[in-house]
């Protein structure tokens, strides 16, 4: 039901056209097509509106929606610029974007180093419906609130359902690492912390849980070293671990990249895993199976994590039902030759 305007110009259908076609008010069209919560509109009416919109090839203007609601349909994820890229993280982002797209939301990732620049220009440009970050400073959080962003999720900051679950996963990871090493006879463990500053909060949380897991097995706290991505620095840490009394015989690495640095440090020192030092990582990146020896690690179900994250975001943003937490199968031990 489009009409011509000028020479060859086709008038775009409006919400008024859809309302007339469906026999409802313009407000009802807006409520249905924008999935406005808490509106008691019969499903038959909703279907009639959707069918009318499809016939007229009408879609709500993103700019108009943002103007009327004060925010766009964008979920902004602040990705730490110093976070080592790997396919497990990429898969998590891909699954998360797909889950959000099914609800009419668009994921926008933005590489960000805290302290380098203000993000005010970002709020003005995209007016996101929600922001997800690893951790924010008080002034950053205040700036977001003042920009009208009400849903802010910090994976290692504020207390919300997603944060609590992500933090509980850290214990599952730590426990699985320690259990695997204890099962092969190790009684003195080390813990390898990444050097990237943005990862320190998560690494410290994981270390806390690693200590808990060691205590549960009657073991002393792990000996901690920060490992830059350099074989020489890793070799120095390895020498210290082996020089302990009693010697550290196995190391829980924060992630696979840190574990691979340890394997490189062992080679540089003329040593090898697991005979001289067992090593276990986290995330099961592709390179983990290709190194010599292949790296034992903890795999994480990125699709289950993404689905739960999207459901939790919708619960906070739109009042949707809070999703059920994924079961214990989200983390899984992958046994190879390094441990």
């Amino acid at each position: 039901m489009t009409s011509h305007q000028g020479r060859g110009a086709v008038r775009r259908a409006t919400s008024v056209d859809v309302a007339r076609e469906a026999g409802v008010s313009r407000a009802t069209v807006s409520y249905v097509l924008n999935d406005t919560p808490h509106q008691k509109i019969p499903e038959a009416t909703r279907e009639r509106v959707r069918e009318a919109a499809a016939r007229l090839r009408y879609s709500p203007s993103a700019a108009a929606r943002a103007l009327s609601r004060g925010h766009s349909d964008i979920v902004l994820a602040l990705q730490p610029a110093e976070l080592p890229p790997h396919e497990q993280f990429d898969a998590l982002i891909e699954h998360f974007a797909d889950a959000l797209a099914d609800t009419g939301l668009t994921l926008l990732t933005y590489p960000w180093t805290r302290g380098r620049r203000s993000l005010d220009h970002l709020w003005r440009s995209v007016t996101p419906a929600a922001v997800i970050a690893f951790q924010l400073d008080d002034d950053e959080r205040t700036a977001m609130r003042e920009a009208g962003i009400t849903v802010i999720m910090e994976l290692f900051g504020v207390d919300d359902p997603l944060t609590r679950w992500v933090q509980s996963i850290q214990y599952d990871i730590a426990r699985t690492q320690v259990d695997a090493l204890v099962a092969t006879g190790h009684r003195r463990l080390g813990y390898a912390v990444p050097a990237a500053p943005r990862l320190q909060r998560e690494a410290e949380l994981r270390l806390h849980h690693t200590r808990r897991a060691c205590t549960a097995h009657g073991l002393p706290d792990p000996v901690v070293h920060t490992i830059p991505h350099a074989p020489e620095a890793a070799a120095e840490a390895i020498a210290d671990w082996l020089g302990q009394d009693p010697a550290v015989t196995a190391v829980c690495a924060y992630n696979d990249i840190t574990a691979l640095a340890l394997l490189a440090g062992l080679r540089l020192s003329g040593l090898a895993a697991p005979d001289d030092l067992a090593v276990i990582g986290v995330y099961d990146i592709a390179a983990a199976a290709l190194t010599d020896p292949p790296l034992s690690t903890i795999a994480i179900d990125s699709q289950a994590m993404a689905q739960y994250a999207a459901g939790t975001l919708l619960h906070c943003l739109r009042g949707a039902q809070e999703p059920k937490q994924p079961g214990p199968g989200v983390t899984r031990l992958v046994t190879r030759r390094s441990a």
Side-chain angles (χ1 to χ4, degrees):
M1 188 182 292
T2 57
S3 63
H4 292 281
Q5 184 178 39
R7 289 187 299 175
V10 178
R11 183 177 72 82
R12 183 176 178 177
T14 68
S15 60
V16 174
D17 298 322
V18 176
R20 185 183 302 115
E21 180 82 3
V24 298
S25 69
R26 188 178 178 184
T28 298
V29 171
S30 176
Y31 293 149
V32 171
L33 298 184
N34 290 317
D35 289 325
T36 304
H38 313 306
Q39 297 297 320
K40 297 180 179 180
I41 301 174
E43 185 56 36
T45 301
R46 292 178 180 272
E47 187 61 28
R48 196 162 70 248
V49 170
R50 288 191 285 262
E51 289 176 353
R55 284 196 300 273
L56 299 178
R57 298 182 181 179
Y58 169 79
S59 61
S61 164
R65 288 200 308 271
L67 185 63
S68 64
R69 294 181 301 185
H71 62 77
S72 67
D73 291 323
I74 290 174
V75 173
L76 178 64
L78 298 177
Q79 178 181 344
E82 66 269 40
L83 185 69
H86 58 79
E87 61 276 8
Q88 202 277 341
F89 182 80
D90 292 343
L92 176 61
I93 292 296
E94 182 178 351
H95 290 312
F96 188 45
D98 287 344
L100 291 179
D102 289 340
T103 68
L105 296 170
T106 300
L107 180 67
L108 173 65
T109 60
Y110 185 86
W112 177 53
T113 299
R114 186 167 54 187
R116 280 191 60 187
R117 66 167 68 177
S118 169
L119 292 173
D120 288 351
H121 69 288
L122 213 51
W123 320 141
R124 289 193 296 269
S125 300
V126 302
T127 57
V131 170
I132 296 178
F134 269 53
Q135 188 181 5
L136 296 167
D137 293 332
D138 289 342
D139 57 343
E140 294 156 356
R141 195 180 306 107
T142 299
M144 292 181 191
R145 298 294 188 199
E146 291 176 349
I149 302 167
T150 58
V151 177
I152 301 172
M153 292 185 166
E154 297 174 60
L155 301 186
F156 297 96
V158 296
D159 183 29
D160 59 49
L162 180 59
T163 296
R164 290 194 293 272
W165 183 71
V166 168
Q167 293 183 358
S168 74
I169 290 296
Q170 302 305 309
Y171 177 67
D172 291 342
I173 291 170
R175 178 182 49 78
T176 304
Q177 281 185 314
V178 172
D179 287 353
L181 295 175
V182 169
T184 52
H186 298 285
R187 304 295 297 174
R188 186 70 165 125
L189 306 184
Y191 180 79
V193 179
R198 182 58 66 87
L199 301 179
Q200 293 309 302
R201 181 70 179 272
E202 182 181 5
E204 289 170 4
L205 178 63
R206 184 93 55 76
L207 172 59
H208 167 73
H209 291 313
T210 301
R211 288 175 175 141
R212 287 180 56 197
C214 285
T215 299
H217 284 285
L219 306 182
D221 284 349
V223 181
V224 181
H225 274 292
T226 298
I227 308 297
H229 298 160
E232 295 79 8
E236 292 179 6
I238 290 166
D240 182 77
W241 276 322
L242 297 180
Q244 296 284 320
D245 184 20
V248 169
T249 60
V251 174
C252 300
Y254 162 80
N255 60 14
D256 288 343
I257 299 295
T258 304
L260 294 180
L262 290 176
L263 294 183
L266 284 168
R267 288 192 294 272
L268 185 65
S269 305
L271 305 172
D275 294 341
D276 297 299
L277 186 71
V279 178
I280 186 168
V282 180
Y283 294 132
D284 194 25
I285 65 175
L290 303 178
T291 189
D292 184 21
L295 179 67
S296 293
T297 186
I298 309 300
I300 299 176
D301 187 338
S302 58
Q303 185 166 13
M305 287 190 70
Q307 291 287 348
Y308 180 70
T312 303
L313 178 62
L314 289 173
H315 168 68
C316 296
L317 186 62
R318 298 177 178 173
Q321 182 177 355
E322 186 172 351
K324 182 180 179 181
Q325 289 188 357
V330 171
T331 58
R332 175 176 55 87
L333 173 66
V334 180
T335 303
R336 299 192 180 102
R337 295 207 313 271
S338 72

